[in-house]
Amino acid sequence: MHEAWGVDIRQPEFSSAIGKVTIADIRDPAAMLQACKGADAVIHTAAQVSVQRSTEDPAFDVETNVLGTVRTLKAAKDAGVSKFVFISSAAVYGNPHYIPVDEDHPVAPLSIYGSSKLSAEHFVQAFGSSYGLRWAIIRPFNFYSPRADPKSPYSGVITKFTQNANAGLPLRVEGDGSQTRDFLHAADVARLVRLTMEAENSGMVLNGGSGQATSILDLAEVIKKVCPSEVRVEHIAPRTADIKNSVAKVDRAKEMVGFSTRISLEEGLKAFFRT
Ligand SMILES: NC(=O)c1ccc[n+]([C@@H]2O[C@H](COP(=O)([O-])OP(=O)(O)OC[C@H]3O[C@@H](n4cnc5c(N)ncnc54)[C@H](O)[C@@H]3O)[C@@H](O)[C@H]2O)c1
């Protein structure tokens, strides 16, 4: 079992599952060096995660996601950690040319957020070639967790749907709901990250997904099934420039680190409705 500690710019909404969390800014070199000292590995998840905010304030996105990553890389290198795992995003792929999307799919981010994540990926790789820092990159599709912050305006569709279902409000499906996403439960995410961190090799880029395409209407159906009270669905205007279908090819994670999904969507969603 690994001892783990975290760094976040603000107090997390939920008490940490991993133990101690220090309040620090990833853009602060001294704080990051302090945080990395004594660590075997760094798993870099902190980010400005909102596509909307990245559009409103591109420079802030770059400061957090690019400069913050460079500062974290530098601190990890200076502290002599043995591996750096960067949590990137499937947003680096942009609009899929084919599905399922494999890791060799062309990268062409549509958003500032996706661009900052791709830029950060390049710095991760350059720290490998320039300083010999061992690294891995995970590109998450849609992760979900009952511990995700429901107050965040950037909460994913599962957080929004389950919050509405619990409050007796309708699930608001954008457009006809035929758009698909690839959902992976936080416990599976944690296992993928651990396996990636523990793998001997350096230089892997892995999709973080289940390999299962779920339409938003199918998601609403599963929520109807597992929610103890009645659930209503209403359709609202489609999001402009929304990606229609998104699903990961996950063979590489299976081959390279032995990862496959354990928690089905139905099973994962049940925890949102326990009292
Ligand atoms: N949840 C998903 O489906 C998904 C999909 C693609 C990529 N990702 C990536 O996974 C990671 C985690 O995302 P999440 O969904 O848990 O979002 P989140 O907003 O819950 O987590 C990001 C954390 O980073 C922290 N942070 C932001 N700026 C910081 C700074 N300057 N210094 C220190 N901490 C800072 C935030 O306070 C927050 O706790 C992010 O890198 C995100 O880009 C997530």
Side-chain angles (χ1 to χ4, degrees):
M1 193 67 175
H2 300 279
E3 187 198 346
W5 62 91
V7 167
D8 203 300
I9 199 166
R10 62 184 169 89
Q11 199 59 45
E13 172 76 10
F14 292 96
S15 64
S16 166
I18 61 168
K20 196 175 122 201
V21 174
T22 304
I23 302 302
D25 188 331
I26 55 166
R27 295 165 297 177
D28 177 345
M32 292 317 292
L33 183 58
Q34 190 58 34
C36 291
K37 269 188 188 153
D40 296 319
V42 168
I43 298 158
H44 174 38
T45 66
Q48 189 302 106
V49 296
S50 159
V51 171
Q52 192 186 325
R53 180 156 188 200
S54 79
T55 313
E56 290 161 4
D57 192 350
F60 179 75
D61 198 73
V62 172
E63 273 175 30
T64 304
N65 295 356
V66 184
L67 184 60
T69 299
V70 171
R71 295 244 155 95
T72 309
L73 281 160
K74 173 80 165 49
K77 169 194 101 56
D78 289 348
V81 310
S82 68
K83 191 139 184 197
F84 191 95
V85 180
F86 175 52
I87 309 302
S88 178
S89 171
V92 300
Y93 294 121
N95 234 332
H97 298 190
Y98 55 84
I99 48 171
V101 175
D102 59 31
E103 293 86 348
D104 296 324
H105 185 286
V107 283
L110 301 173
S111 60
I112 305 289
Y113 164 74
S115 306
S116 69
K117 284 287 189 178
L118 181 58
S119 174
E121 283 193 10
H122 290 149
F123 281 101
V124 172
Q125 297 178 17
F127 266 69
S129 52
S130 303
Y131 306 113
L133 183 65
R134 293 169 65 249
W135 61 269
I137 290 169
I138 294 175
R139 293 175 174 162
F141 280 65
N142 292 84
F143 292 171
Y144 70 100
S145 162
R147 290 162 59 91
D149 183 355
K151 290 204 285 294
S152 164
Y154 316 122
S155 282
V157 62
I158 288 187
T159 307
K160 285 182 190 150
F161 274 14
T162 52
Q163 194 184 19
N164 278 18
N166 275 322
L169 297 167
L171 313 188
R172 297 198 174 88
V173 173
E174 294 170 352
D176 68 3
S178 64
Q179 63 274 32
T180 58
R181 294 293 180 266
D182 181 322
F183 298 108
L184 191 65
H185 188 273
D188 276 328
V189 174
R191 208 161 39 80
L192 171 62
V193 171
R194 182 173 53 74
L195 290 166
T196 305
M197 179 187 79
E198 288 171 351
E200 285 301 314
N201 55 347
S202 173
M204 278 187 297
V205 179
L206 300 178
N207 280 338
S210 65
Q212 198 71 42
T214 302
S215 76
I216 300 305
L217 274 186
D218 285 344
L219 171 66
E221 283 307 313
V222 181
I223 289 175
K224 276 186 181 172
K225 196 172 163 191
V226 298
C227 180
S229 50
E230 199 198 329
V231 174
R232 288 169 299 131
V233 170
E234 70 177 32
H235 289 263
I236 59 171
R239 200 181 292 198
T240 45
D242 199 16
I243 288 176
K244 173 78 181 152
N245 293 306
S246 170
V247 59
K249 192 165 169 65
V250 291
D251 299 31
R252 194 187 283 183
K254 186 166 181 131
E255 278 157 31
M256 300 200 73
V257 301
F259 172 78
S260 52
T261 312
R262 286 192 186 153
I263 301 175
S264 69
L265 190 57
E266 186 172 332
E267 198 186 330
L269 286 172
K270 280 182 186 156
F272 286 80
F273 298 103
R274 282 191 199 120
T275 48

